[in-house]
Amino acid sequence: MLKEKEVKNLAEVTVRFAGDSGDGMQLTGSQFSDTTAAVGNDLSTLPDYPAEIRAPSGTIYGVSGFQLHFSSTDIHTPGDRPDVLVAMNPAALKKNLDELKPGGIIIVNTDAFDSKNLKLAKYESNPLEDGSIKGYEVYQVPVASLTSKALEDTSLSQKEISRCKNFFALGLMYWLFNRPLEPTLHWIQVKFRDTPEFIDANTKALNAGYNFGEMTEVFTTRFTVAPAKLPKGIYRSISGNEATALGFLAASVKSGLPLFLGSYPITPASEILQYLSYYKNFGVKTFQAEDEIAGVTAAIGAAFAGNLAITNTSGPGLALKTEGIGLAVMTELPLVIINVQRGGPSTGLPTKTEQADLLQSIYGRHGESPVPVLAAATPSDCFYMAIEASRIALKYMTPVILLTDGYLANGSEPWKIPHVNELPDISVKYWTQKEGFAPYNRDENLSRPWAIPGTPGLEHRIGGLEKANITGNVSYDPDNHHNMVKLRDQKVKGIVKDIPDLEVDGDQEGDLLVLGWGGTYGAITESVIKVREEGYRVSQAHLKYLNPFPKNTGEVLTRFNNILIPEINLGQLSKIIRSEFLTPVIQLNIVRGLPFRTSDIQNKIKEILGGKNNGR
Amino acid sequence: MADKVEAKEVKLTAKDFASDQDVRWCPGCGDYSVLAQVQRSFPDLVGIKKEDIVWVSGIGCSSRFPYYMNTYGFHGIHGRAAAIATGVKLANPKLSVWVATGDGDLLSIGGNHFIHACRKNVDLKILLFNNRIYGLTKGQYSPTSEQGKITKTTPYGSVDYPFRAISLALGSRATFIARTLDRDVKHLQAMIKRAAEHKGLAFVEIYQNCVIYNDGAFDIYTNKETKDDHTLYLQHAKPMLFGKNKEKGIKLDGTKLKVININESDNSINDVLVHDEFDESPLYATLLAFMAENSDLPTPVGVFRQVFRLTYDEGVENQIAHIKAKKGEGDLEKFLFSANTWEVN
Ligand code: SF4
């Protein structure tokens, strides 16, 4: 007789899957996320993978991880420290153990704990035997051999069988957290539709993992996390990169303009190119260029010819595109540059997140070169900010930089899918009349007419040389240059009348405002909620418009005694806020290539408000 | 059909293609001739409307070209003309897109864009104004300057080897490749028209005299006394003859080209290579491309090669049409809701 297993109800759980880059941890994590989303939990994910595609197996630097935070309430971050760690080998255990919550659950694949792997992970002795993980709840499961056993009657090679072990682990986790197998079974059917033997094998491995949980004596408890109370609607799970791609697709549909992406592959931005290249039946054109420069300049050419033109990249690529962006400023053409920020400088930490391109985006060009800068706050917000960036670019005939980051790009969350008719309309009119046409005439927004090649009678020339006001002819006149420098500046500053005010969450005035921007929204929000629960009075505001700032920004800042600005850089927004508003700010800067831990922000808030500070 | 009124097309003239801007090249610059021949040829281009023509350029003396044409024009940044033009063409394949560029612009800073535009067979017409010098920056050697060239940045002579632009285009799979001379106005016009008619990337190298920094670089090919012996006019299906009395011919000897005199007893016109513009193999055109740097051989001008392949822009359009036919025209509402969804009540 099997003992009835105890079922524990949890409000929220953070799970981390970790293994070799070849172990399929990203797939396992995303399958667990999709299933978890489908059962109605709120969730947030953080993939964490090495820069090498297949680093030597068994090594610490080859460990690939996927963290997932899910809950029965509204959540905002992928979780600080995991409650549960699934470690497929010794290196995965070694790399992640420090992060695990004290007393947390560890599920290990014991088959991988042989002397070779222990050595590769730089363990002197086996941590499963030497008592070094005594403080944790450890479940030792021979995942590899159990998978082999489950698949012994298949025609697969040993190597192929070994690749199925992540599905065994996934099945076990589904059992442990009471999730249905159907979404993944369905996914397997679709994914391997051309190779029935893999459908069979992966299905068997998944079921075997689930049944193992059910049958074994090892596990005495399983957990449930009740569905979250999310607003009514149809939901899907979405990552920042996919949301960005869909946002531009939506902007194309809403503006009636064909979408053109000029792009060069770069981590972590390439997926935007990949997604958009699938949307061919919407007429989307994706140009995988010979380099970053060709990506932006081809987009500028496409903008000249009348397309909604965009280019995507990450920090180093933005640097390469800089001269091109200057050209778009001078020619006053609509263009959106998406920068999925990563750890820098140089190649830096290509697969990790950072917020250190803010100054580059606002100021990093030759000459007086004003460019509106927007930043998305959450993975799904990338969708709306892509539309907003397009709207501003088209309305003001200007390049716009949209900042996301590696965390938003790869992280995912449930997204209540909007209906197309709820999305903002973007009306665009090309100039077609001969009367009153001059290439650098300006409308009430100071934007110039968009007269595209193919329009009879409006043949004109633009380019990188300074333009005479109105006629657009080349001009070296000193006063004209002064005037044009100011006009371009005023045009971008004028966007302030067209963007929402900065909203303050919580008390509208008080002791402390936590001011953030971009991808730290989730971490800041969760931190603020937690400290409020402890009785602290703290307000929060989040900037999504970095240039220009919302018009009430300065006034909001005056209402608080202290302004705390957490950033994953050395204080770039802080620097701008100080110089623009002559106000002191308190910085919190942690640049580890990872999202903020909410505990870091909470501690800082308490320190400022004079509460207890437990340290990190 | 009977009551259809045919709008009478007024034939444009060279003047219609001249913009109202003052041309600012140095007096005597070869660029004037190119501009004049383009303006003279364009009215003859069949099926291309003036409003559908776009000139794109980079940076350099020749890159001011678009400002002087009364068509759509885009004066870009250094080296990027081919990339900008590719964007224009992809965005609207109906347009006739021309690139005016120099040896520094196209082959040095813009080399990458050039070879990839060739490789992709983007339907662009690239006119390379090759004067073998940097003019606008006031006289530094360029990637087509001959080895040993003395300039401001190479006071003791350049030590590196020049590009052969034609061979670079060939190696990059350009589908139309020609060379012409700024001073041979008829030939220049003919090459412009041939380029315009070609569907695919057309590359025309124009030997262009810079009177200020490299005067006379191409005199040998244009001066009355020397041109007959040094310039070989390529004509399709015609034997390759040159010399005052067309007495010299090019013979293929193994894998080498050599000059023979057809009047000498051992030789006859039948020994002379007959030019084939449409030879699919690039080897033959490569032999011709290497003649320019060989002092024993004349320098060929004319169409080196013309082959026909689907253009990149056509390929892009075809694929979109194909996917639309297969999946149906995109419907955003449907598409957004087509992922794995779940409902919250
Ligand atoms: S510098 Fe040379 S190439 Fe430039 S405009 Fe003068 S003559 Fe022409």
Side-chain angles (χ1 to χ4, degrees), chain B residues 24-32 60-62 129 131 133-139 208-215:
Chain B
R24 295 201 202 164
W25 290 307
C26 308
C29 174
D31 292 357
Y32 282 97
C61 294
S62 57
F129 296 53
N131 54 17
I133 197 79
Y134 282 84
L136 194 66
T137 50
K138 300 192 165 59
Q208 174 249 319
N209 192 41
C210 168
V211 284
I212 305 296
Y213 298 108
N214 203 14
D215 195 22

PDB file of all heavy atoms in Angstrom, chain B residues 24-32 60-62 129 131 133-139 208-215, ligand 1:
ATOM      1  N   ARG B  24      29.041  72.058 -57.647  1.00  0.00           N
ATOM      2  CA  ARG B  24      30.209  72.634 -56.976  1.00  0.00           C
ATOM      3  C   ARG B  24      31.466  71.791 -57.074  1.00  0.00           C
ATOM      4  O   ARG B  24      32.293  71.795 -56.181  1.00  0.00           O
ATOM      5  CB  ARG B  24      29.885  72.834 -55.490  1.00  0.00           C
ATOM      6  CG  ARG B  24      28.804  73.860 -55.287  1.00  0.00           C
ATOM      7  CD  ARG B  24      28.889  74.389 -53.877  1.00  0.00           C
ATOM      8  NE  ARG B  24      27.617  74.952 -53.465  1.00  0.00           N
ATOM      9  CZ  ARG B  24      27.296  75.210 -52.222  1.00  0.00           C
ATOM     10  NH1 ARG B  24      28.146  74.942 -51.253  1.00  0.00           N
ATOM     11  NH2 ARG B  24      26.132  75.736 -51.929  1.00  0.00           N
ATOM     12  N   TRP B  25      31.583  71.017 -58.132  1.00  0.00           N
ATOM     13  CA  TRP B  25      32.852  70.308 -58.299  1.00  0.00           C
ATOM     14  C   TRP B  25      33.892  71.264 -58.872  1.00  0.00           C
ATOM     15  O   TRP B  25      33.560  72.296 -59.467  1.00  0.00           O
ATOM     16  CB  TRP B  25      32.669  69.123 -59.249  1.00  0.00           C
ATOM     17  CG  TRP B  25      31.857  68.003 -58.670  1.00  0.00           C
ATOM     18  CD1 TRP B  25      32.063  67.371 -57.480  1.00  0.00           C
ATOM     19  CD2 TRP B  25      30.711  67.377 -59.270  1.00  0.00           C
ATOM     20  NE1 TRP B  25      31.117  66.382 -57.297  1.00  0.00           N
ATOM     21  CE2 TRP B  25      30.274  66.362 -58.379  1.00  0.00           C
ATOM     22  CE3 TRP B  25      30.004  67.557 -60.463  1.00  0.00           C
ATOM     23  CZ2 TRP B  25      29.183  65.542 -58.649  1.00  0.00           C
ATOM     24  CZ3 TRP B  25      28.924  66.738 -60.744  1.00  0.00           C
ATOM     25  CH2 TRP B  25      28.510  65.748 -59.835  1.00  0.00           C
ATOM     26  N   CYS B  26      35.167  70.900 -58.759  1.00  0.00           N
ATOM     27  CA  CYS B  26      36.227  71.744 -59.311  1.00  0.00           C
ATOM     28  C   CYS B  26      36.052  71.826 -60.830  1.00  0.00           C
ATOM     29  O   CYS B  26      35.687  70.836 -61.458  1.00  0.00           O
ATOM     30  CB  CYS B  26      37.603  71.140 -59.037  1.00  0.00           C
ATOM     31  SG  CYS B  26      37.896  70.724 -57.332  1.00  0.00           S
ATOM     32  N   PRO B  27      36.349  72.979 -61.406  1.00  0.00           N
ATOM     33  CA  PRO B  27      36.267  73.085 -62.864  1.00  0.00           C
ATOM     34  C   PRO B  27      37.178  72.034 -63.505  1.00  0.00           C
ATOM     35  O   PRO B  27      38.302  71.845 -63.065  1.00  0.00           O
ATOM     36  CB  PRO B  27      36.787  74.495 -63.149  1.00  0.00           C
ATOM     37  CG  PRO B  27      36.617  75.241 -61.865  1.00  0.00           C
ATOM     38  CD  PRO B  27      36.755  74.241 -60.761  1.00  0.00           C
ATOM     39  N   GLY B  28      36.638  71.339 -64.474  1.00  0.00           N
ATOM     40  CA  GLY B  28      37.440  70.330 -65.163  1.00  0.00           C
ATOM     41  C   GLY B  28      37.342  68.948 -64.563  1.00  0.00           C
ATOM     42  O   GLY B  28      37.891  67.986 -65.100  1.00  0.00           O
ATOM     43  N   CYS B  29      36.650  68.811 -63.464  1.00  0.00           N
ATOM     44  CA  CYS B  29      36.496  67.507 -62.812  1.00  0.00           C
ATOM     45  C   CYS B  29      35.697  66.568 -63.710  1.00  0.00           C
ATOM     46  O   CYS B  29      34.721  66.969 -64.341  1.00  0.00           O
ATOM     47  CB  CYS B  29      35.775  67.678 -61.476  1.00  0.00           C
ATOM     48  SG  CYS B  29      35.394  66.104 -60.688  1.00  0.00           S
ATOM     49  N   GLY B  30      36.104  65.309 -63.711  1.00  0.00           N
ATOM     50  CA  GLY B  30      35.416  64.306 -64.525  1.00  0.00           C
ATOM     51  C   GLY B  30      33.972  64.083 -64.091  1.00  0.00           C
ATOM     52  O   GLY B  30      33.151  63.573 -64.865  1.00  0.00           O
ATOM     53  N   ASP B  31      33.645  64.463 -62.865  1.00  0.00           N
ATOM     54  CA  ASP B  31      32.281  64.262 -62.373  1.00  0.00           C
ATOM     55  C   ASP B  31      31.257  65.012 -63.234  1.00  0.00           C
ATOM     56  O   ASP B  31      30.121  64.570 -63.394  1.00  0.00           O
ATOM     57  CB  ASP B  31      32.156  64.741 -60.917  1.00  0.00           C
ATOM     58  CG  ASP B  31      32.952  63.858 -59.950  1.00  0.00           C
ATOM     59  OD1 ASP B  31      33.540  62.860 -60.416  1.00  0.00           O
ATOM     60  OD2 ASP B  31      32.987  64.174 -58.750  1.00  0.00           O
ATOM     61  N   TYR B  32      31.667  66.164 -63.787  1.00  0.00           N
ATOM     62  CA  TYR B  32      30.738  66.936 -64.623  1.00  0.00           C
ATOM     63  C   TYR B  32      30.247  66.104 -65.803  1.00  0.00           C
ATOM     64  O   TYR B  32      29.083  66.146 -66.170  1.00  0.00           O
ATOM     65  CB  TYR B  32      31.419  68.209 -65.154  1.00  0.00           C
ATOM     66  CG  TYR B  32      31.505  69.310 -64.136  1.00  0.00           C
ATOM     67  CD1 TYR B  32      32.666  69.507 -63.395  1.00  0.00           C
ATOM     68  CD2 TYR B  32      30.418  70.163 -63.923  1.00  0.00           C
ATOM     69  CE1 TYR B  32      32.757  70.524 -62.463  1.00  0.00           C
ATOM     70  CE2 TYR B  32      30.503  71.194 -62.994  1.00  0.00           C
ATOM     71  CZ  TYR B  32      31.678  71.369 -62.263  1.00  0.00           C
ATOM     72  OH  TYR B  32      31.750  72.374 -61.345  1.00  0.00           O
ATOM     73  N   GLY B  60      31.980  61.950 -50.256  1.00  0.00           N
ATOM     74  CA  GLY B  60      33.078  62.141 -51.200  1.00  0.00           C
ATOM     75  C   GLY B  60      32.622  63.111 -52.268  1.00  0.00           C
ATOM     76  O   GLY B  60      31.456  63.503 -52.294  1.00  0.00           O
ATOM     77  N   CYS B  61      33.534  63.487 -53.139  1.00  0.00           N
ATOM     78  CA  CYS B  61      33.165  64.449 -54.186  1.00  0.00           C
ATOM     79  C   CYS B  61      31.976  63.941 -54.992  1.00  0.00           C
ATOM     80  O   CYS B  61      30.978  64.623 -55.173  1.00  0.00           O
ATOM     81  CB  CYS B  61      34.346  64.688 -55.118  1.00  0.00           C
ATOM     82  SG  CYS B  61      35.728  65.512 -54.314  1.00  0.00           S
ATOM     83  N   SER B  62      32.094  62.698 -55.468  1.00  0.00           N
ATOM     84  CA  SER B  62      31.042  62.165 -56.345  1.00  0.00           C
ATOM     85  C   SER B  62      29.722  61.995 -55.611  1.00  0.00           C
ATOM     86  O   SER B  62      28.666  61.968 -56.222  1.00  0.00           O
ATOM     87  CB  SER B  62      31.481  60.834 -56.929  1.00  0.00           C
ATOM     88  OG  SER B  62      31.799  59.939 -55.888  1.00  0.00           O
ATOM     89  N   PHE B 129      32.694  56.158 -59.247  1.00  0.00           N
ATOM     90  CA  PHE B 129      33.555  57.212 -59.801  1.00  0.00           C
ATOM     91  C   PHE B 129      34.958  56.927 -59.279  1.00  0.00           C
ATOM     92  O   PHE B 129      35.313  57.328 -58.178  1.00  0.00           O
ATOM     93  CB  PHE B 129      33.111  58.590 -59.319  1.00  0.00           C
ATOM     94  CG  PHE B 129      31.734  59.026 -59.759  1.00  0.00           C
ATOM     95  CD1 PHE B 129      30.615  58.243 -59.541  1.00  0.00           C
ATOM     96  CD2 PHE B 129      31.561  60.273 -60.365  1.00  0.00           C
ATOM     97  CE1 PHE B 129      29.344  58.669 -59.928  1.00  0.00           C
ATOM     98  CE2 PHE B 129      30.292  60.696 -60.757  1.00  0.00           C
ATOM     99  CZ  PHE B 129      29.189  59.902 -60.544  1.00  0.00           C
ATOM    100  N   ASN B 131      38.574  57.614 -59.155  1.00  0.00           N
ATOM    101  CA  ASN B 131      39.658  58.543 -59.516  1.00  0.00           C
ATOM    102  C   ASN B 131      40.964  58.169 -58.812  1.00  0.00           C
ATOM    103  O   ASN B 131      41.937  58.899 -58.862  1.00  0.00           O
ATOM    104  CB  ASN B 131      39.269  59.994 -59.227  1.00  0.00           C
ATOM    105  CG  ASN B 131      38.819  60.193 -57.784  1.00  0.00           C
ATOM    106  OD1 ASN B 131      39.099  59.338 -56.935  1.00  0.00           O
ATOM    107  ND2 ASN B 131      38.144  61.291 -57.502  1.00  0.00           N
ATOM    108  N   ILE B 133      41.927  58.256 -55.805  1.00  0.00           N
ATOM    109  CA  ILE B 133      42.453  59.231 -54.836  1.00  0.00           C
ATOM    110  C   ILE B 133      41.306  59.669 -53.937  1.00  0.00           C
ATOM    111  O   ILE B 133      40.149  59.531 -54.307  1.00  0.00           O
ATOM    112  CB  ILE B 133      43.065  60.456 -55.571  1.00  0.00           C
ATOM    113  CG1 ILE B 133      43.968  61.287 -54.666  1.00  0.00           C
ATOM    114  CG2 ILE B 133      41.962  61.350 -56.156  1.00  0.00           C
ATOM    115  CD1 ILE B 133      45.341  60.689 -54.490  1.00  0.00           C
ATOM    116  N   TYR B 134      41.631  60.161 -52.736  1.00  0.00           N
ATOM    117  CA  TYR B 134      40.627  60.831 -51.918  1.00  0.00           C
ATOM    118  C   TYR B 134      40.645  62.314 -52.286  1.00  0.00           C
ATOM    119  O   TYR B 134      41.640  62.993 -52.026  1.00  0.00           O
ATOM    120  CB  TYR B 134      40.923  60.658 -50.432  1.00  0.00           C
ATOM    121  CG  TYR B 134      40.531  59.305 -49.885  1.00  0.00           C
ATOM    122  CD1 TYR B 134      41.372  58.207 -50.004  1.00  0.00           C
ATOM    123  CD2 TYR B 134      39.306  59.128 -49.262  1.00  0.00           C
ATOM    124  CE1 TYR B 134      41.005  56.963 -49.514  1.00  0.00           C
ATOM    125  CE2 TYR B 134      38.942  57.879 -48.763  1.00  0.00           C
ATOM    126  CZ  TYR B 134      39.789  56.804 -48.891  1.00  0.00           C
ATOM    127  OH  TYR B 134      39.426  55.579 -48.411  1.00  0.00           O
ATOM    128  N   GLY B 135      39.580  62.781 -52.901  1.00  0.00           N
ATOM    129  CA  GLY B 135      39.526  64.170 -53.332  1.00  0.00           C
ATOM    130  C   GLY B 135      39.010  65.087 -52.241  1.00  0.00           C
ATOM    131  O   GLY B 135      39.662  66.073 -51.864  1.00  0.00           O
ATOM    132  N   LEU B 136      37.839  64.734 -51.682  1.00  0.00           N
ATOM    133  CA  LEU B 136      37.164  65.646 -50.750  1.00  0.00           C
ATOM    134  C   LEU B 136      37.997  65.901 -49.491  1.00  0.00           C
ATOM    135  O   LEU B 136      37.933  66.967 -48.893  1.00  0.00           O
ATOM    136  CB  LEU B 136      35.791  65.078 -50.373  1.00  0.00           C
ATOM    137  CG  LEU B 136      34.826  66.030 -49.684  1.00  0.00           C
ATOM    138  CD1 LEU B 136      34.416  67.158 -50.621  1.00  0.00           C
ATOM    139  CD2 LEU B 136      33.576  65.293 -49.223  1.00  0.00           C
ATOM    140  N   THR B 137      38.772  64.902 -49.087  1.00  0.00           N
ATOM    141  CA  THR B 137      39.625  65.101 -47.916  1.00  0.00           C
ATOM    142  C   THR B 137      41.004  65.623 -48.324  1.00  0.00           C
ATOM    143  O   THR B 137      41.933  65.640 -47.524  1.00  0.00           O
ATOM    144  CB  THR B 137      39.765  63.797 -47.108  1.00  0.00           C
ATOM    145  OG1 THR B 137      40.130  62.750 -48.009  1.00  0.00           O
ATOM    146  CG2 THR B 137      38.480  63.438 -46.398  1.00  0.00           C
ATOM    147  N   LYS B 138      41.120  65.983 -49.580  1.00  0.00           N
ATOM    148  CA  LYS B 138      42.270  66.717 -50.106  1.00  0.00           C
ATOM    149  C   LYS B 138      43.523  65.875 -50.322  1.00  0.00           C
ATOM    150  O   LYS B 138      44.614  66.235 -49.894  1.00  0.00           O
ATOM    151  CB  LYS B 138      42.606  67.927 -49.225  1.00  0.00           C
ATOM    152  CG  LYS B 138      41.466  68.934 -49.122  1.00  0.00           C
ATOM    153  CD  LYS B 138      41.934  70.233 -48.505  1.00  0.00           C
ATOM    154  CE  LYS B 138      40.973  71.368 -48.713  1.00  0.00           C
ATOM    155  NZ  LYS B 138      39.640  71.220 -48.208  1.00  0.00           N
ATOM    156  N   GLY B 139      43.365  64.754 -51.019  1.00  0.00           N
ATOM    157  CA  GLY B 139      44.522  64.099 -51.590  1.00  0.00           C
ATOM    158  C   GLY B 139      45.255  63.065 -50.781  1.00  0.00           C
ATOM    159  O   GLY B 139      46.479  63.145 -50.631  1.00  0.00           O
ATOM    160  N   GLN B 208      37.538  58.176 -63.642  1.00  0.00           N
ATOM    161  CA  GLN B 208      37.155  59.581 -63.547  1.00  0.00           C
ATOM    162  C   GLN B 208      38.361  60.406 -63.137  1.00  0.00           C
ATOM    163  O   GLN B 208      39.014  60.115 -62.134  1.00  0.00           O
ATOM    164  CB  GLN B 208      36.015  59.731 -62.516  1.00  0.00           C
ATOM    165  CG  GLN B 208      35.614  61.150 -62.199  1.00  0.00           C
ATOM    166  CD  GLN B 208      36.011  61.538 -60.776  1.00  0.00           C
ATOM    167  OE1 GLN B 208      35.878  60.743 -59.840  1.00  0.00           O
ATOM    168  NE2 GLN B 208      36.505  62.759 -60.593  1.00  0.00           N
ATOM    169  N   ASN B 209      38.614  61.406 -63.925  1.00  0.00           N
ATOM    170  CA  ASN B 209      39.802  62.217 -63.669  1.00  0.00           C
ATOM    171  C   ASN B 209      39.560  63.232 -62.559  1.00  0.00           C
ATOM    172  O   ASN B 209      38.584  63.979 -62.579  1.00  0.00           O
ATOM    173  CB  ASN B 209      40.211  62.945 -64.949  1.00  0.00           C
ATOM    174  CG  ASN B 209      41.597  63.562 -64.816  1.00  0.00           C
ATOM    175  OD1 ASN B 209      42.495  62.940 -64.249  1.00  0.00           O
ATOM    176  ND2 ASN B 209      41.761  64.777 -65.307  1.00  0.00           N
ATOM    177  N   CYS B 210      40.458  63.240 -61.560  1.00  0.00           N
ATOM    178  CA  CYS B 210      40.438  64.281 -60.532  1.00  0.00           C
ATOM    179  C   CYS B 210      41.525  65.282 -60.918  1.00  0.00           C
ATOM    180  O   CYS B 210      42.719  64.986 -60.801  1.00  0.00           O
ATOM    181  CB  CYS B 210      40.733  63.676 -59.161  1.00  0.00           C
ATOM    182  SG  CYS B 210      41.063  64.915 -57.893  1.00  0.00           S
ATOM    183  N   VAL B 211      41.105  66.442 -61.410  1.00  0.00           N
ATOM    184  CA  VAL B 211      42.092  67.401 -61.920  1.00  0.00           C
ATOM    185  C   VAL B 211      42.985  67.945 -60.830  1.00  0.00           C
ATOM    186  O   VAL B 211      44.076  68.428 -61.086  1.00  0.00           O
ATOM    187  CB  VAL B 211      41.429  68.599 -62.647  1.00  0.00           C
ATOM    188  CG1 VAL B 211      40.958  68.193 -64.018  1.00  0.00           C
ATOM    189  CG2 VAL B 211      40.319  69.204 -61.827  1.00  0.00           C
ATOM    190  N   ILE B 212      42.520  67.906 -59.614  1.00  0.00           N
ATOM    191  CA  ILE B 212      43.275  68.544 -58.543  1.00  0.00           C
ATOM    192  C   ILE B 212      44.309  67.605 -57.925  1.00  0.00           C
ATOM    193  O   ILE B 212      45.460  67.957 -57.743  1.00  0.00           O
ATOM    194  CB  ILE B 212      42.318  69.049 -57.435  1.00  0.00           C
ATOM    195  CG1 ILE B 212      41.244  69.965 -58.021  1.00  0.00           C
ATOM    196  CG2 ILE B 212      43.086  69.750 -56.316  1.00  0.00           C
ATOM    197  CD1 ILE B 212      41.758  71.250 -58.638  1.00  0.00           C
ATOM    198  N   TYR B 213      43.909  66.382 -57.599  1.00  0.00           N
ATOM    199  CA  TYR B 213      44.807  65.526 -56.831  1.00  0.00           C
ATOM    200  C   TYR B 213      45.379  64.326 -57.580  1.00  0.00           C
ATOM    201  O   TYR B 213      46.249  63.641 -57.064  1.00  0.00           O
ATOM    202  CB  TYR B 213      44.092  65.038 -55.555  1.00  0.00           C
ATOM    203  CG  TYR B 213      43.714  66.177 -54.653  1.00  0.00           C
ATOM    204  CD1 TYR B 213      42.390  66.566 -54.508  1.00  0.00           C
ATOM    205  CD2 TYR B 213      44.705  66.889 -53.972  1.00  0.00           C
ATOM    206  CE1 TYR B 213      42.046  67.627 -53.699  1.00  0.00           C
ATOM    207  CE2 TYR B 213      44.369  67.954 -53.163  1.00  0.00           C
ATOM    208  CZ  TYR B 213      43.036  68.329 -53.030  1.00  0.00           C
ATOM    209  OH  TYR B 213      42.706  69.366 -52.232  1.00  0.00           O
ATOM    210  N   ASN B 214      44.829  64.050 -58.763  1.00  0.00           N
ATOM    211  CA  ASN B 214      45.350  62.873 -59.486  1.00  0.00           C
ATOM    212  C   ASN B 214      45.184  63.094 -60.984  1.00  0.00           C
ATOM    213  O   ASN B 214      44.722  62.204 -61.699  1.00  0.00           O
ATOM    214  CB  ASN B 214      44.599  61.616 -59.029  1.00  0.00           C
ATOM    215  CG  ASN B 214      45.395  60.350 -59.280  1.00  0.00           C
ATOM    216  OD1 ASN B 214      46.602  60.406 -59.544  1.00  0.00           O
ATOM    217  ND2 ASN B 214      44.727  59.209 -59.210  1.00  0.00           N
ATOM    218  N   ASP B 215      45.557  64.267 -61.410  1.00  0.00           N
ATOM    219  CA  ASP B 215      45.274  64.649 -62.802  1.00  0.00           C
ATOM    220  C   ASP B 215      46.005  63.727 -63.775  1.00  0.00           C
ATOM    221  O   ASP B 215      47.170  63.386 -63.569  1.00  0.00           O
ATOM    222  CB  ASP B 215      45.702  66.110 -63.031  1.00  0.00           C
ATOM    223  CG  ASP B 215      45.100  66.662 -64.318  1.00  0.00           C
ATOM    224  OD1 ASP B 215      44.081  66.105 -64.773  1.00  0.00           O
ATOM    225  OD2 ASP B 215      45.658  67.635 -64.847  1.00  0.00           O
TER     226      ASP B 215
HETATM  227  S1  SF4 C   1      38.844  67.220 -55.801  1.00  0.00           S
HETATM  228 FE1  SF4 C   1      39.051  66.056 -57.659  1.00  0.00          FE
HETATM  229  S2  SF4 C   1      37.321  64.650 -57.677  1.00  0.00           S
HETATM  230 FE2  SF4 C   1      36.911  66.238 -56.178  1.00  0.00          FE
HETATM  231  S3  SF4 C   1      35.695  67.735 -57.271  1.00  0.00           S
HETATM  232 FE3  SF4 C   1      37.822  68.389 -57.387  1.00  0.00          FE
HETATM  233  S4  SF4 C   1      38.552  67.477 -59.258  1.00  0.00           S
HETATM  234 FE4  SF4 C   1      36.675  66.440 -58.790  1.00  0.00          FE
END
